[in-house]
Amino acid sequence: MNAVFLIGAGGVFGSRLAQGLARDGFEVVCAGRDLNRAQTVAARLVETGGAARAVALDARTLTAEALRSTGAAIVVDAAGPFHNAAPTVARAAIAAGLPYVDLADARDFVAAFPALDAAARAASVVALTGASSTPALSNAVLDDLTAGWCEVMSVEAAISPGARAPRGRSVVEAILSWTGRPVRVFEKGRWRSRPGWSGLVTRDFGPAGRRRLSLCETPDLDLLPARFRPTRSALFLAGLEPPILHWGMSLTAAFAAATGFRLRPLAGLLTALSGLFAPFGSDRGAMRVEAFGIDARGRAVRAEWRLVAEPGVGPVVPTLAALAAVKAIAAGTLVPGARACVGDLPLAALEAELDAHPLIRTRTTERAALFARAIGPDFDALPDPIRALHESLGLSQWRGECRCDGPASPLAGLVGRIIGFPGRSGTEPVEVSIDADGRRSIWRRHIGPARFQSVLSNPRAGGRMTERFGLVSVELGLHRQADRLVYDVLGWRLGPIPLPRALAPRTTTHEAIDAQGRFTFDVEIGLPLLGRIVHYRGWLTPAEGEDRP
């Protein structure tokens, strides 16, 4: 029987990992500074038929000789904290000739870990860091979701623990060390700096509901751009339950970013406040991983994997990658070396561990282009130039020419000028910039001197989509008519307020191709009583250097 030397066996994650190891036939040497806690865990494992013993240990002074004396075959560090820590245990394990695994989710620790690679190879030892939800599980999911893709545009991983998930002081201190401080992140096609816990967004976690998330510093902020080479962004987000706790953390982060105030000394206070608010939030933990890109067929796609943990189960998830890693090491399937635990464990191996627990998993792959999702199968029957323009992800540029008819009345002209529509003109150069991220498309149009933009979002079955011009939103109906794409107006709103259908804008709009095979547009928009506001028609082709799908 292989013996696993488990540091931090008495902790939140260590105790759960100990149960998994014992259940799978490993002898567990429960180690920690608090011998009583380690003995308690060992006794529970023995009571349930496992093999376990306890030892007292201070990981800060651990030596190779001390590890060899335990008789263990594998060393696992589930204690931490790893933020700003030296890899003392990993060095001792390598020096002792023992494989090593940890659950580190600290960006600096994981980034520095490959410095041990030469020593690990020389000792023929496997040393893995980050065998946890991040980066091991998140990367394994993305490896699977994006397999065979031609291009990855953006990737995003997010975790939202349950409200009553244990939050030890050391964990809170680690989070506060970067909250409101500059965090390096790849976003909008470049590396930039943003305050930690900024950029409040909402994401759908399925059975766990919609939750608020903010930028979180983890190893994935380095590993996702390096491994998947996204052209757009690579983000890791985290959230707190209940929502008021997340809002409070966001305000605290904004204060720290603005003033430079150090939050770490407040760890005790914030840990206590977290406990006070816990009864008001969901106790379901959740994880979500998403990717946008171009698949093997050249289509823009969105792939998503979601996991929801029933109350009380969430804390086991961060331990499952470590459990799978220990099994793989024991089976001799991993090559020696010191590295982050990414690319070593396939998603199937991790999901085999997830299957042993009450966890809900869902996976979806759908078209990423808003028009494809709204129109359905008819989208693929449209001519290539129309599909190419609407299938583009990221930032694309289109240029051409058009002619414009002026407004039908002075009042219609005033409305057009407020929006930015062009007036009457001869042939004018046209530039259209489309910034699409799979959730919305921002269209910026330059027609001669005129500048105006709209935002397309919320695609629904039946060809429905929303187009917003400032505070006014128009509900569109899209349908294929032979080789043309035709637009209708189904309703409109001022902000969230529905407006009378009888007063809604009228449009005669379609897209087609011309004799030269170019994308063409013919857009006429008017209002009841006012008549035509604008009518412009012309053609577009990709800007030079644009490589469209």
Side-chain angles (χ1 to χ4, degrees):
M1 178 185 294
N2 285 324
V4 176
F5 188 77
L6 179 58
I7 301 171
V12 173
F13 300 129
S15 59
R16 288 163 173 82
L17 179 54
Q19 293 171 9
L21 290 167
R23 184 178 60 248
D24 287 326
F26 292 93
E27 179 188 357
V28 184
V29 182
C30 301
R33 281 179 290 177
D34 188 333
L35 181 59
N36 288 332
R37 291 176 66 182
Q39 288 174 331
T40 299
V41 172
R44 288 174 182 167
L45 297 181
V46 172
E47 287 174 2
T48 56
R53 49 194 167 94
V55 297
L57 170 81
D58 187 343
R60 296 170 296 183
T61 58
L62 186 65
T63 65
E65 291 73 19
L67 282 178
R68 289 193 194 99
S69 69
T70 66
I74 301 171
V75 177
V76 179
D77 188 352
F82 296 95
H83 181 74
N84 283 336
T88 304
V89 177
R91 287 198 189 104
I94 293 170
L98 297 175
Y100 166 89
V101 177
D102 69 41
L103 280 68
D105 61 0
R107 186 179 187 177
D108 60 333
F109 187 92
V110 173
F113 197 80
L116 305 177
D117 185 57
R121 289 177 183 273
S124 296
V125 164
V126 177
L128 300 177
T129 186
S132 191
S133 303
T134 168
L137 179 55
S138 54
N139 275 262
V141 171
L142 284 168
D143 282 335
D144 202 74
L145 292 181
T146 62
W149 284 17
C150 301
E151 177 187 337
V152 176
M153 189 197 80
S154 65
V155 291
E156 179 183 287
I159 291 178
S160 177
R164 284 170 283 282
R167 297 186 179 100
R169 178 164 180 155
S170 63
V171 173
V172 174
E173 286 181 348
I175 293 172
L176 293 179
S177 68
W178 50 258
T179 297
R181 314 304 301 171
V183 171
R184 186 170 179 263
V185 58
F186 184 74
E187 193 173 30
K188 296 183 179 178
R190 63 183 179 88
W191 286 98
R192 58 193 295 244
S193 180
R194 274 180 45 193
W197 212 269
S198 64
L200 185 67
V201 297
T202 303
R203 296 287 186 263
D204 186 0
F205 285 86
R210 295 183 66 81
R211 296 195 176 183
R212 290 150 188 84
L213 303 164
S214 297
L215 177 65
C216 176
E217 183 164 61
T218 77
D220 275 335
L221 293 185
D222 293 322
L223 292 168
L224 297 182
R227 299 190 70 241
F228 298 97
R229 301 293 180 186
T231 57
R232 182 77 171 183
S233 64
L235 296 176
F236 194 97
L237 308 174
L240 293 174
E241 277 288 301
I244 190 172
L245 200 60
H246 192 98
W247 279 106
M249 191 69 165
S250 295
L251 292 173
T252 301
F255 173 77
T259 64
F261 184 79
R262 299 285 179 175
L263 297 175
R264 196 166 182 173
L266 301 180
L269 173 62
L270 294 180
T271 301
L273 288 174
S274 174
L276 290 175
F277 284 105
F280 303 99
S282 168
D283 198 27
R284 278 180 150 183
M287 181 173 180
R288 180 179 181 276
V289 181
E290 178 183 67
F292 287 93
I294 306 299
D295 69 8
R297 299 171 60 184
R299 304 183 309 177
V301 292
R302 184 188 77 93
E304 180 188 70
W305 182 93
R306 294 191 297 209
L307 177 149
V308 176
E310 294 301 323
V313 180
V316 77
V317 176
T319 72
L320 298 180
L323 179 58
V326 169
K327 289 182 178 180
I329 290 171
T333 59
L334 302 182
V335 299
R339 57 191 179 271
C341 186
V342 295
D344 285 300
L345 304 174
L347 181 59
L350 297 177
E351 289 194 321
E353 304 302 335
L354 295 172
D355 288 339
H357 303 276
L359 301 165
I360 303 168
R361 297 195 309 276
T362 58
R363 175 175 176 156
T364 58
T365 300
E366 64 179 4
R367 301 292 288 273
L370 303 183
F371 282 68
R373 299 216 299 272
I375 298 168
D378 267 0
F379 179 82
D380 291 323
L382 289 166
D384 289 347
I386 298 177
R387 289 191 294 105
L389 183 139
H390 293 300
E391 191 91 24
S392 299
L393 285 180
L395 182 63
S396 61
Q397 303 282 345
W398 306 80
R399 295 193 178 101
E401 295 180 345
C402 81
R403 296 181 60 86
C404 303
D405 294 333
S409 66
L411 192 52
L414 176 61
V415 173
R417 285 194 296 275
I418 292 172
I419 297 174
F421 287 152
R424 181 183 299 276
S425 69
T427 300
E428 294 277 10
V430 180
E431 293 187 8
V432 178
S433 167
I434 303 175
D435 193 356
D437 64 6
R439 295 186 180 88
R440 64 176 190 169
S441 294
I442 303 173
W443 289 51
R444 297 180 175 91
R445 305 166 179 89
H446 295 182
I447 301 178
R451 305 286 187 271
F452 64 103
Q453 75 173 45
S454 63
V455 180
L456 290 156
S457 63
N458 196 21
R460 286 99 73 203
R464 298 176 67 92
M465 193 182 301
T466 302
E467 184 168 20
R468 179 171 56 82
F469 297 86
L471 293 176
V472 177
S473 299
V474 178
E475 296 300 315
L476 298 176
L478 311 170
H479 65 277
R480 180 176 69 89
Q481 188 180 85
D483 286 338
R484 305 195 311 171
L485 177 60
V486 178
Y487 291 60
D488 295 317
V489 173
L490 306 179
W492 65 323
R493 292 174 176 267
L494 178 63
I497 305 171
L499 298 175
R501 175 74 182 274
L503 300 178
R506 306 284 192 263
T507 188
T508 304
T509 296
H510 70 268
E511 298 168 354
I513 58 172
D514 62 13
Q516 289 76 42
R518 300 176 300 194
F519 172 92
T520 67
F521 54 90
D522 191 322
V523 180
E524 183 171 358
I525 301 173
L527 282 169
L529 306 178
L530 301 185
R532 183 181 67 240
I533 296 174
V534 70
H535 181 198
Y536 57 94
R537 56 208 179 275
W539 56 268
L540 292 170
T541 58
E544 186 175 351
E546 288 286 319
D547 184 15
R548 307 303 348 137

